[in-house]
Amino acid sequence: MDENHAKYMKRCYELAVSAGKKGHDTFGAVLVHDGEILEEAENTADYARRIFGHAEFNLVHKCADKYSDEILEHAVVYTSCAPCERCLAAIASLGVHRIVCGVSYKAFSRLLPFDDRAVDREGLLRQLGIRMTLTESVLEEEGMRVFEWWGGEYRPLEELIAEMDEVKKTVVNPIRGREDSMRKKLILISGSPCVGKTAVGTRLFESYDNSAYLDGDWCWCVHPFSVTDSRLRNGDRSMSFVLSNYLDTGFEYVFFTSVVLTDPIIRENILKGITAKDYETVAFTLTCSEETLKKRHDRRGDKGETNYYWLHLSPCPGDIVIDTDNRSIREVVREMKKEIDARTVHHD
């Protein structure tokens, strides 16, 4: 094993334990270039407040507008555990081409309700024109011990694994048990900023079992932002990758929210980049009045004049248009669920 791998991985494990002792999930990550750790981050996820906060994602945010493309292209992300699909896409969007993981996807699945299902993540990214090398299982045994501090309370690894083994005996794996009985759905939710996409998308995601959710605007989180920035095409490919992975791994409902879905060309490119098969798409466009949009921007604390550009774009053909004026999140979600459920067909 490369001695440098061990050096940087041990730092990731230190960050992960630090996060765990603060009550967060035990994950840490660092960005290394030319033998130097440029940035490091630990998990800050807060599920009660719906803050994503994964270590790799926090690391990407630190690096996005700080380092040149040349530095990032030759940098390596080290992470205590194999990254989730969202984080993998974020790292790819950053322009980094190599990730070194401590705990592998397979090993980490010992702490999850379901066994790992092998996915060629490098191959999926390659199909989208993204070059990425994933190295797993660096000091893996030591990395598994890090999870003993998960959530702030020390528990022996053997106890955690035994507990999850019991859970696996009683839970039906939705990927294996139900994927053949129902055609998968990709639900697109587009609309202007502040129209309610994230609030509605999150509530919908939480209301369906065996579902996954991607807020695509995270893949375009750069500063300064310009929709004409050619580098954002990496963000488009990252969205395609995450959606492909979710659909390929058997989630029945995949929710995808993003302002960029209002642009028919960008939407078409993202959908064309999805490599998964046998799914159907249900698309929504959320809208409201200019007055309502202005109030929502003000309530969020946005400064300056409200931009109505996205609000006045015509919905893409076939979209179900939902007016959110004077309606609660629950009311909007209820209407959208009716549309989604009306298109649900089970196959025996």
Side-chain angles (χ1 to χ4, degrees):
M1 180 181 65
D2 189 322
E3 291 184 3
N4 287 329
H5 282 349
K7 171 185 174 182
Y8 303 131
M9 195 55 63
K10 283 180 178 292
R11 181 54 186 157
C12 290
Y13 291 156
E14 291 172 354
L15 291 165
V17 171
S18 172
K21 289 182 176 180
K22 294 172 185 174
H24 298 295
D25 296 339
T26 46
F27 299 94
V30 300
L31 180 79
V32 175
H33 177 265
D34 199 20
E36 178 186 359
I37 295 179
L38 298 183
E39 298 289 346
E40 51 186 40
E42 58 187 53
N43 185 286
T44 57
D46 187 331
Y47 301 112
R49 295 169 57 203
R50 294 173 181 168
I51 294 177
F52 186 57
H54 286 198
E56 301 93 336
F57 202 79
N58 291 341
L59 184 71
V60 168
H61 273 271
K62 282 187 172 183
C63 301
D65 59 351
K66 191 172 181 179
Y67 300 103
S68 68
D69 291 343
E70 182 179 2
I71 288 178
L72 293 171
E73 182 180 1
H74 295 95
V76 181
V77 167
Y78 286 82
T79 177
S80 61
C81 185
C84 73
E85 275 61 48
R86 288 185 186 180
C87 289
L88 188 56
I91 294 169
S93 297
L94 193 61
V96 172
H97 299 303
R98 188 175 183 191
I99 302 172
V100 179
C101 315
V103 176
S104 64
Y105 290 102
K106 183 176 181 179
F108 183 54
S109 70
R110 299 183 69 190
L111 297 171
L112 298 176
F114 310 118
D115 292 329
D116 176 60
R117 178 172 177 175
V119 174
D120 182 8
R121 293 171 174 85
E122 290 182 7
L124 280 171
L125 286 169
R126 193 161 48 248
Q127 291 181 52
L128 299 170
I130 299 173
R131 176 168 52 89
M132 181 67 73
T133 300
L134 277 165
T135 302
E136 298 183 80
S137 305
V138 175
L139 299 180
E140 187 166 61
E141 184 175 345
E142 182 177 338
M144 287 294 287
R145 292 289 173 187
V146 165
F147 292 111
E148 294 178 330
W149 287 101
W150 199 328
E153 178 185 357
Y154 177 84
R155 295 178 64 193
L157 177 64
E158 292 77 13
E159 180 181 316
L160 295 172
I161 293 175
E163 182 179 277
M164 196 52 62
D165 285 342
E166 291 302 313
V167 171
K168 289 176 179 177
K169 293 177 183 178
T170 61
V171 176
V172 176
N173 189 331
I175 292 176
R176 295 176 181 172
R178 296 197 288 173
E179 64 181 354
D180 293 331
S181 67
M182 178 179 179
R183 195 175 185 195
K184 294 166 287 190
K185 281 186 171 53
L186 173 62
I187 295 96
L188 310 179
I189 305 174
S190 67
S192 169
C194 269
V195 78
K197 301 182 301 300
T198 299
V200 168
T202 302
R203 190 73 63 86
L204 275 169
F205 156 66
E206 293 173 345
S207 67
Y208 284 92
D209 290 334
N210 196 26
S211 63
Y213 173 52
L214 171 65
D215 185 337
D217 292 344
W218 290 340
C219 297
W220 272 31
C221 195
V222 298
H223 179 78
F225 175 83
S226 171
V227 72
T228 59
D229 189 335
S230 61
R231 294 173 298 177
L232 293 181
R233 302 290 72 75
N234 287 329
D236 299 346
R237 290 194 290 270
S238 296
M239 295 180 213
S240 300
F241 166 74
V242 174
L243 297 173
S244 296
N245 214 353
Y246 280 153
L247 291 166
D248 275 335
T249 49
F251 289 101
E252 293 175 1
Y253 300 92
V254 178
F255 295 92
F256 177 33
T257 63
S258 181
V259 63
V260 304
L261 291 173
T262 59
D263 186 305
I265 296 177
I266 296 176
R267 179 192 291 202
E268 182 180 4
N269 288 336
I270 293 172
L271 295 180
K272 281 184 176 179
I274 296 176
T275 57
K277 307 296 183 184
D278 193 27
Y279 69 92
E280 58 184 304
T281 301
V282 183
F284 296 92
T285 291
L286 303 186
T287 188
C288 66
S289 66
E290 288 189 359
E291 180 183 5
T292 296
L293 192 69
K294 178 68 166 60
K295 288 180 179 178
R296 292 175 181 172
H297 273 287
D298 291 344
R299 189 161 58 241
R300 194 171 70 174
D302 294 339
K303 298 179 181 179
E305 295 185 4
T306 301
N307 188 331
Y308 300 111
Y309 168 78
W310 300 98
L311 184 66
H312 294 310
L313 289 178
S314 299
C316 290
D319 278 15
I320 302 166
V321 180
I322 306 289
D323 190 342
T324 65
D325 266 336
N326 302 312
R327 302 179 71 188
S328 67
I329 295 174
R330 178 178 295 181
E331 291 171 332
V332 174
V333 167
R334 186 182 299 121
E335 180 178 351
M336 295 174 73
K337 275 181 64 67
K338 288 182 179 179
E339 295 288 351
I340 295 168
D341 294 343
R343 290 162 172 77
T344 300
V345 179
H346 291 268
H347 304 284
D348 297 325

